Amino acid sequence: MTSSVEPSGSNPKSLLSKKRRLLSRSDEEVTEEMDMGLYYRQGWPTLSVLPLDTVFGAGKYFGDYHEVHLPVINIILESQRIEPSFIQTCHRVHPGCEPDELTATLLVVTKVGTGSWFHAIKEIRKYLAKQALDINIEFIDSRAYPSLPTFTILSSELEIITFWSEIQEKVITILKSSGQPWSAVDVFHRGPGDTREECPPTIMISSPNPSDAAWTKDIVPAIRRICMPRLHVELLYGCVIPCLDEQDSERAGRELTMDAFRDFLSMGDSCGPRGGGSSGSLGGRVTLYRSGQSLGTFALTNSHVARSQPYYDAILGNQAFYPHHPLAQNQGLLVRAPSDSDLKIRLKVNDQLVEDYRRSIEGFDGDIENNEPPRFSLRLKVEMGQTSKIPLLKNQEEKKKTTEQESKMMRQFNRDIGSIYAGSGYRTTNYQAYGTAHQHWGLDWALVRLGTRQIENVIEATVQDAKRPFAIGRSANTWGMAKWNTLVAKKGRMTGWTVGEINAVGSIMVSPKYGREVTCLSVQGKKGPFADPGDSGAVVLEVPEGKQPDELKWVGLLFAAAEANDFGYVLPIDLVMRDIKEITGCDVVEPVAVA
């Protein structure tokens, strides 16, 4: 997802010039320029907001660091009674941004409350300035590094939930009137603590341009005035990313196997529009009935996953795509599995493998320009009497033949699974079932009418969260409302099976496609992100407690992810099923609705 706003990590030259002028500042001016806004993270000058990646290789900006500067820095820390976990010269950059001179940082990881960070930062800054070293200084609590602990809000925390409901629209109004871009508002427990109770409930505001002075000068203080001390406020760098893979399909494409080229489909398989460059995930099987008659079987995914230009044109102006549309009637919006882009990547990988085998078999003169060394021909070695090379030669010849056959089969396989029958487009709707104050829920679904290739709502791999496995072959053919704080799992094209927990406070995200902010469920990933680009369209299943039921239950449809954290954004499946009935005029008989 691209933004017209230059991210703060891109380091424009004007900022570099400003930073160089800071070398000549007085002690009082250095103090004024120190960043003391967070008790668990402080430094000089104003620090970039989290999340930040740590990139090594900044040594050239630190001069004679180990022999000269590090001993002095250690003396300063010791004098302020600070015991660092470690001190590191590095770059601190926002995800997706390149390191440069402006991101060079002296990173001190220690524990908040030990010694005086303020005086240590000030003394280190004074020392480095005398050495003409123009680098950032960042002190961060060891519990907040490399990432800040985050916990869901519990449904039993009624005081927090009620208070947020009361002020939510005020916060959104401040953001909308600020003139600054923002992408999401989430409410979670967040802070340098080991437990939920140690981390304060926090309003997390994500922006693609958090470095603008308006955020720290006006916007965040205005929000804090209406929510502190009951809710803290944190500004984050990041965008909401539709979990659609239009550019970074390399990983999923490389991992395609011949299992993807078979007549029957699986939940979470790669899919995309015919002739399109995007990829997403197949959710599961849906069967529709009208007036007691079956209309056939369909695959559920996201509207934006199945989107081609003709489909996009059909839903312009936030319109739904109805079954009576000529493109639906003529089956003109074909969808493929695996997607065109994934196949392209897999064939490219195979072509390179074939070339490597050929060079091994026939020899290669080398390529100085691309730093590729020459190879001597295995076949020639065998012909010259090196019989020990015969097994290796046969192995390489067999691998080359097998890879060529795979590529041929992939190219010839009919990947068409059907055509789009109906879709939500990018609409919003009022929905009271989850009790959130902001009622503009987003919609993003599409039904693909299946042909000969069918999909079954069956688990074909094992999901293993510490105590709750999904058994292979388990049926997942029911749907019902999502419950706050339940564990859920999804299988997506990019990340496969992941497990997370539904937050008891709905999230608000901004997408140009909807033309306004929309409400959705947020799922915090366990042991890593819940979703990545390419996972869109995956069905979210409830992970049952205790004894496994006969049928696993659909509770949501994944459609986006948060760049700033491990959240996945999910549409309630009951909302999706309600809208399917409204747009198609049909009853959903599979999966089966349960209480």
Side-chain angles (χ1 to χ4, degrees):
M1 176 171 160
T2 58
S3 171
S4 60
V5 179
E6 185 175 36
S8 58
S10 60
N11 307 320
K13 291 182 179 178
S14 60
L15 291 179
L16 185 57
S17 300
K18 178 182 177 183
K19 186 180 174 188
R20 282 173 174 156
R21 293 197 299 272
L22 297 178
L23 283 171
S24 60
R25 310 295 261 180
S26 67
D27 284 1
E28 292 76 15
E29 288 171 322
V30 168
T31 299
E32 289 177 4
E33 290 150 359
M34 288 169 60
D35 188 340
M36 308 300 288
L38 297 171
Y39 70 94
Y40 57 83
R41 183 172 179 258
Q42 298 171 359
W44 180 94
T46 301
L47 300 174
S48 296
V49 302
L50 298 174
L52 293 168
D53 292 334
T54 300
V55 179
F56 301 111
K60 66 179 181 180
Y61 301 108
F62 288 84
D64 198 358
Y65 171 72
H66 288 285
E67 288 76 16
V68 177
H69 306 312
L70 181 58
V72 177
I73 291 169
N74 277 323
I75 290 171
I76 293 172
L77 293 176
E78 186 177 350
S79 71
Q80 298 301 325
R81 298 180 180 179
I82 295 171
E83 297 180 4
S85 300
F86 64 86
I87 306 171
Q88 183 67 57
T89 59
C90 60
H91 292 281
R92 294 280 277 162
V93 297
H94 286 134
C97 295
E98 292 296 321
D100 60 19
E101 183 177 350
L102 199 63
T103 61
T105 302
L106 176 70
L107 178 65
V108 180
V109 179
T110 182
K111 193 168 184 179
V112 71
T114 58
S116 173
W117 285 16
F118 175 85
H119 289 99
I121 294 168
K122 183 178 177 181
E123 291 303 313
I124 291 173
R125 177 62 230 150
K126 287 169 61 178
Y127 168 76
L128 293 177
K130 290 179 181 178
Q131 311 303 314
L133 291 177
D134 187 22
I135 56 177
N136 303 313
I137 304 167
E138 179 182 352
F139 279 49
I140 188 168
D141 189 280
S142 54
R143 294 166 297 179
Y145 183 84
S147 60
L148 199 62
T150 305
F151 300 90
T152 56
I153 302 293
L154 299 177
S155 58
S156 59
E157 298 180 278
L158 297 179
E159 184 178 342
I160 296 172
I161 295 169
T162 302
F163 180 65
W164 172 238
S165 296
E166 292 171 356
I167 67 167
Q168 182 174 279
E169 289 304 320
K170 295 178 183 178
V171 172
I172 299 303
T173 299
I174 292 172
L175 292 173
K176 291 172 68 175
S177 61
S178 70
Q180 290 295 316
W182 59 281
S183 54
V185 176
D186 305 283
V187 181
F188 282 77
H189 284 280
R190 189 165 164 88
D194 297 323
T195 66
R196 179 182 279 106
E197 292 71 27
E198 293 176 303
C199 300
T202 302
I203 301 172
M204 302 162 61
I205 303 167
S206 298
S207 169
N209 188 32
S211 62
D212 193 286
W215 283 106
T216 53
K217 182 181 178 182
D218 302 314
I219 306 168
V220 172
I223 295 173
R224 281 181 174 146
R225 282 194 291 271
I226 64 174
C227 70
M228 290 286 284
R230 297 164 79 177
L231 287 173
H232 289 225
V233 180
E234 182 183 6
L235 180 64
L236 297 168
Y237 168 82
C239 300
V240 169
I241 307 173
C243 291
L244 173 70
D245 199 337
E246 294 178 306
Q247 299 173 346
D248 185 24
S249 56
E250 183 82 12
R251 189 175 80 199
R254 291 179 68 87
E255 293 175 0
L256 272 185
T257 68
M258 289 306 297
D259 286 342
F261 299 84
R262 56 183 181 178
D263 289 337
F264 36 123
L265 305 160
S266 297
M267 301 174 77
D269 275 356
S270 159
C271 69
R274 184 177 184 180
S278 60
S279 298
S281 303
L282 285 175
R285 171 183 173 130
V286 173
T287 302
L288 300 181
Y289 268 64
R290 181 186 293 147
S291 302
Q293 299 294 317
S294 173
L295 270 69
T297 55
F298 304 80
L300 178 66
T301 187
N302 286 141
S303 189
H304 74 261
V305 167
R307 183 199 71 212
S308 58
Q309 190 60 49
Y311 179 70
Y312 184 78
D313 293 340
I315 61 174
L316 277 177
N318 303 108
Q319 299 294 313
F321 184 74
Y322 290 89
H324 56 70
H325 193 283
L327 285 171
Q329 293 288 309
N330 298 331
Q331 300 185 30
L333 300 172
L334 291 176
V335 176
R336 288 177 156 176
S339 67
D340 285 353
S341 58
D342 279 351
L343 175 65
K344 182 179 179 180
I345 292 295
R346 181 66 248 185
L347 290 176
K348 182 180 177 181
V349 170
N350 277 12
D351 288 345
Q352 184 59 54
L353 286 173
V354 168
E355 176 61 15
D356 288 344
Y357 296 141
R358 186 196 66 77
R359 290 178 179 182
S360 177
I361 295 166
E362 300 176 8
F364 175 59
D365 292 335
D367 186 339
I368 297 175
E369 220 173 276
N370 293 314
N371 198 29
E372 295 181 89
R375 295 188 193 179
F376 296 101
S377 166
L378 279 174
R379 182 176 290 130
L380 183 59
K381 289 180 180 179
V382 170
E383 290 174 353
M384 293 176 64
Q386 295 188 35
T387 55
S388 63
K389 301 294 183 182
I390 292 176
L392 180 58
L393 174 62
K394 289 183 177 179
N395 175 270
Q396 296 292 286
E397 289 174 335
E398 185 61 35
K399 285 184 175 179
K400 178 175 178 289
K401 180 180 178 181
T402 300
T403 306
E404 288 172 334
Q405 289 174 339
E406 280 187 358
S407 294
K408 182 178 180 181
M409 291 171 64
M410 289 177 180
R411 288 188 175 95
Q412 293 177 345
F413 184 79
N414 182 5
R415 292 176 291 114
D416 294 342
I417 65 170
S419 179
I420 300 177
Y421 174 74
S424 65
Y426 303 114
R427 296 161 39 244
T428 62
T429 186
N430 190 291
Y431 198 52
Q432 303 288 337
Y434 290 89
T436 57
H438 192 275
Q439 292 296 335
H440 298 285
W441 289 81
L443 291 164
D444 189 352
W445 60 266
L447 288 177
V448 180
R449 185 193 285 273
L450 296 174
T452 56
R453 299 181 72 190
Q454 292 289 314
I455 186 171
E456 297 292 337
N457 295 330
V458 174
I459 304 302
E460 294 194 359
T462 299
V463 182
Q464 183 71 48
D465 184 47
K467 302 176 182 176
R468 300 177 177 88
F470 282 177
I472 296 174
R474 174 75 63 183
S475 177
N477 208 29
T478 65
W479 67 267
M481 282 188 64
K483 300 174 185 176
W484 304 127
N485 303 124
T486 55
L487 286 181
V488 292
K490 72 98 187 75
K491 183 186 177 187
R493 156 191 168 271
M494 183 61 73
T495 56
W497 284 108
T498 58
V499 176
E501 180 184 343
I502 299 177
N503 192 33
V505 175
S507 292
I508 302 170
M509 54 165 281
V510 175
S511 171
K513 296 183 178 69
Y514 292 99
R516 62 163 305 133
E517 67 282 356
V518 297
T519 302
C520 57
L521 302 178
S522 55
V523 178
Q524 183 190 16
K526 300 286 187 182
K527 302 177 182 178
F530 187 71
D532 276 345
D535 286 333
S536 257
V539 164
V540 177
L541 302 171
E542 183 178 276
V543 178
E545 295 185 29
K547 184 180 178 181
Q548 296 290 304
D550 292 334
E551 293 283 353
L552 296 172
K553 183 170 68 174
W554 300 16
V555 294
L557 184 67
L558 180 72
F559 78 113
E563 189 177 33
N565 43 56
D566 293 336
F567 306 159
Y569 292 127
V570 173
L571 307 174
I573 201 65
D574 43 310
L575 174 60
V576 173
M577 294 301 185
R578 186 187 79 165
D579 201 54
I580 288 175
K581 183 171 184 177
E582 180 179 327
I583 298 304
T584 65
C586 299
D587 295 319
V588 176
V589 298
E590 183 189 23
V592 178
V594 295

